[in-house]
């Protein structure tokens, strides 16, 4: 079973700054299929990125995903006030279990 | 409008059972991979189970042998039957759609239903 480890646990930044969130897999994701979700308090998760680097419908282009093998990154180019939330990575594709990372909390500095 | 609405959560004693439901509108449940994901209070997301379009089912180790995912085509509804509930099963349970065109990432989520396990 693939274990996904996200870092940092908490990231403190200011609006306008660039955010870089990491997700490392315990073994290579053979299909390079990784998804990223945003979750705000009291809300369901929202899909941001699928297939490692493709933005879901309606997601602003300040969100981008990259990576391959075991190392994946979510980048938010210029933080908006509404971007402060918790972010989760997840293994997607054809092979369960569809494990999630433990999350990175992006907070306002 | 594409939507998922969960129901069936509540308070149950350890060892008890619950059947969670997830009613879909705007799309067909049986034409998509459908998953259950849970979130314990203050914790992260945990994938629980998936049912594929062909009917194959898979479970997380934490719920295998105690849970059954199923769907009703006539009602366009997804279910999760949970038995022998444990304290650690307490969580908000979400259902989610995982379409092929999103490489089976989960693009539509319900609002969640809360399961509380306590004596």
């Amino acid at each position: 079973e693939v274990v996904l480890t996200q870092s940092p646990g908490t990231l403190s930044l200011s609006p306008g700054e660039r955010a870089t969130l990491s997700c490392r897999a315990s073994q290579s994701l053979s299909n390079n299929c990784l998804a990223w979700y945003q979750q705000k308090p009291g809300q369901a998760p929202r899909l941001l990125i699928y297939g490692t680097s493709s933005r879901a419908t309606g997601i602003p282009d300040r969100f981008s995903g990259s990576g391959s093998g075991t190392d994946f990154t979510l980048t938010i180019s210029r933080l908006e006030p509404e971007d402060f939330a918790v972010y989760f990575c997840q293994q997607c594709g054809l092979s369960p279990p569809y494990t999630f990372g433990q999350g990175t909390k992006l907070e306002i500095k | 409008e594409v939507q998922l609405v969960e129901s069936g959560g509540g308070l149950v004693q350890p060892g008890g059972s619950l059947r969670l439901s997830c009613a879909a509108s705007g799309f067909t449940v049986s034409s998509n991979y459908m998953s259950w994901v849970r979130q314990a209070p203050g914790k992260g997301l945990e994938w629980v189970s998936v049912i594929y379009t062909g009917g194959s089912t898979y479970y997380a180790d934490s719920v295998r042998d105690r849970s059954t995912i199923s769907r009703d085509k006539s009602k366009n509804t997804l279910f999760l039957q949970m038995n022998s509930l444990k304290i650690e099963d307490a969580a908000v349970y979400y259902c989610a759609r995982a379409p092929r065109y999103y490489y089976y990432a989960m693009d539509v989520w319900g609002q969640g239903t809360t399961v509380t396990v306590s004596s």
Side-chain angles (χ1 to χ4, degrees):
Chain A
E1 175 178 328
V2 175
V3 176
L4 298 177
T5 302
Q6 293 185 241
S7 61
T10 302
L11 185 57
S12 300
L13 293 170
S14 300
E17 290 192 293
R18 181 185 186 90
T20 302
L21 287 67
S22 174
C23 178
R24 177 163 289 179
S26 59
Q27 57 189 274
S28 180
L29 301 186
S30 57
N31 56 5
N32 279 337
C33 188
L34 193 88
W36 290 92
Y37 301 85
Q38 176 194 68
Q39 188 180 33
K40 296 180 180 179
Q43 297 184 16
R46 172 194 182 197
L47 178 64
L48 301 174
I49 301 289
Y50 66 95
T52 300
S53 59
S54 298
R55 277 186 301 277
T57 301
I59 301 304
D61 61 6
R62 64 180 181 273
F63 291 91
S64 63
S66 63
S68 65
T70 60
D71 291 303
F72 299 85
T73 301
L74 173 69
T75 301
I76 311 171
S77 58
R78 293 174 309 280
L79 286 166
E80 297 287 342
E82 62 267 28
D83 298 337
F84 292 91
V86 181
Y87 292 83
F88 296 95
C89 59
Q90 185 211 16
Q91 179 196 214
C92 53
L94 295 174
S95 302
Y98 298 113
T99 50
F100 289 90
Q102 81 280 16
T104 290
K105 182 180 181 180
L106 179 55
E107 64 177 24
I108 299 176
K109 186 175 181 178
Chain B
E1 180 188 5
V2 173
Q3 192 175 7
L4 292 167
V5 178
E6 301 99 334
S7 60
L11 174 63
V12 62
Q13 292 185 338
S17 298
L18 274 180
R19 189 192 197 202
L20 307 182
S21 299
C22 170
S25 55
F27 73 98
T28 303
V29 164
S30 59
S31 297
N32 290 270
Y33 286 17
M34 297 293 298
S35 272
W36 287 96
V37 175
R38 68 184 181 184
Q39 187 169 36
K43 302 298 184 181
L45 301 172
E46 180 186 14
W47 173 78
V48 173
S49 181
V50 66
I51 183 167
Y52 288 171
T53 52
S56 297
T57 60
Y58 298 89
Y59 302 90
D61 289 345
S62 57
V63 303
R64 187 174 293 118
D65 301 328
R66 301 189 294 121
S67 300
T68 303
I69 188 172
S70 62
R71 64 194 179 200
D72 184 323
K73 291 184 178 181
S74 66
K75 297 181 179 178
N76 205 29
T77 298
L78 179 74
F79 302 99
L80 183 67
Q81 175 71 42
M82 302 190 68
N83 302 321
S84 303
L85 282 160
K86 304 176 181 181
I87 297 292
E88 54 264 37
D89 293 320
V92 175
Y93 284 73
Y94 297 100
C95 60
R97 181 181 78 170
R100 180 179 179 179
Y101 55 80
Y102 275 149
Y103 299 175
Y104 308 107
M106 301 173 189
D107 71 326
V108 178
W109 295 67
Q111 83 290 351
T113 187
T114 300
V115 173
T116 304
V117 184
S118 175
S119 55

